[in-house]
Amino acid sequence: MRNGLKTLQDMQAGKSLEIEFGGDELLLDPAGVLIIKSINALVVSDLHLEKGSSFARRGQFLPPYDTVATLTRLATLIHKYNPSMIVSLGDSFHDDEASHRLGDETIEALQAMTLDREMIWITGNHDPSPPDHLPGQCFEEIEIDKIVLRHIPDAQYKNHEISGHFHPCAKVQVRGKNVRRPCFACDGTRMIMPSFGVLTGGLNISDRAFNGLFHRNNLRAYMQGKDRVFPIASGNISGFGQ
């Protein structure tokens, strides 16, 4: 319990970083969500709720507390920012049946978090079907102030886009030691958000899976720290461009 309380306190004290994106102002929170200031929207990606129960169904048993832990973190940030809208950028659920495995208390917690707020679920590759028994609306993508929000980034799309899917992280050297952290990956036109779920991993942005998605010279890794976000230029990211 002490560790959980410490995590919540750290998130409440964390200082967001403000950047300009697509003519709008975004706040990047060190806990891994962003705020679109013009409409006070909180955007989160890759919750992967019920990942533990999904693995258990296949015989690989993980602690069954990931959904509660993830939603507790999210509730803390909703309390912090009091957004008018919440947008979950796909893979909100680890599989297409996961939303139906939510317990009554979890559904009530989601209802409380979204009370008097607009809730938008973006479909992902893990959860292509709308969670029609939960509060909110479901779309494949939406547009806010000429910024498109979708789950999987579209390499052919040339305007401003915020997406998830890849769980980006970056590795840098600090005082001779390698530090690897989740990050917001952004080149000024495309933003790929870090994953938020407590059981999700990360993919280094130097991986070839990111090829063609960014203007490499403009890329910044906004790395999540304990209580702040650190902007790192591409030239300082370990393995980048090699």
Side-chain angles (χ1 to χ4, degrees), residues 93-107:
F93 304 94
H94 191 67
D95 62 67
D96 212 26
E97 299 175 0
S99 64
H100 294 281
R101 297 198 300 274
L102 298 176
D104 291 341
E105 291 186 2
T106 303
I107 293 175

Side-chain angles (χ1 to χ4, degrees), residues 176-197:
K177 295 182 178 180
N178 286 324
V179 177
R180 186 176 188 268
R181 299 288 295 172
C183 69
F184 302 84
C186 182
D187 65 357
T189 301
R190 176 172 286 114
M191 166 84 70
I192 301 181
M193 292 189 62
S195 60
F196 190 81

Side-chain angles (χ1 to χ4, degrees), residues 149-178:
L149 284 75
R150 55 169 61 102
H151 178 60
I152 300 177
D154 180 358
Q156 305 305 314
Y157 191 73
K158 303 304 181 184
N159 296 319
H160 289 88
E161 172 194 82
I162 300 176
S163 62
H165 182 62
F166 283 108
H167 304 196
C169 66
K171 184 168 66 175
V172 297
Q173 281 204 339
V174 179
R175 300 187 181 94
K177 295 182 178 180
N178 286 324

Side-chain angles (χ1 to χ4, degrees), residues 73-102:
R73 295 179 67 231
L74 183 58
T76 301
L77 293 161
I78 292 171
H79 177 75
K80 176 179 179 178
Y81 289 107
N82 191 26
S84 301
M85 174 189 293
I86 303 168
V87 182
S88 186
L89 282 185
D91 286 2
S92 305
F93 304 94
H94 191 67
D95 62 67
D96 212 26
E97 299 175 0
S99 64
H100 294 281
R101 297 198 300 274
L102 298 176

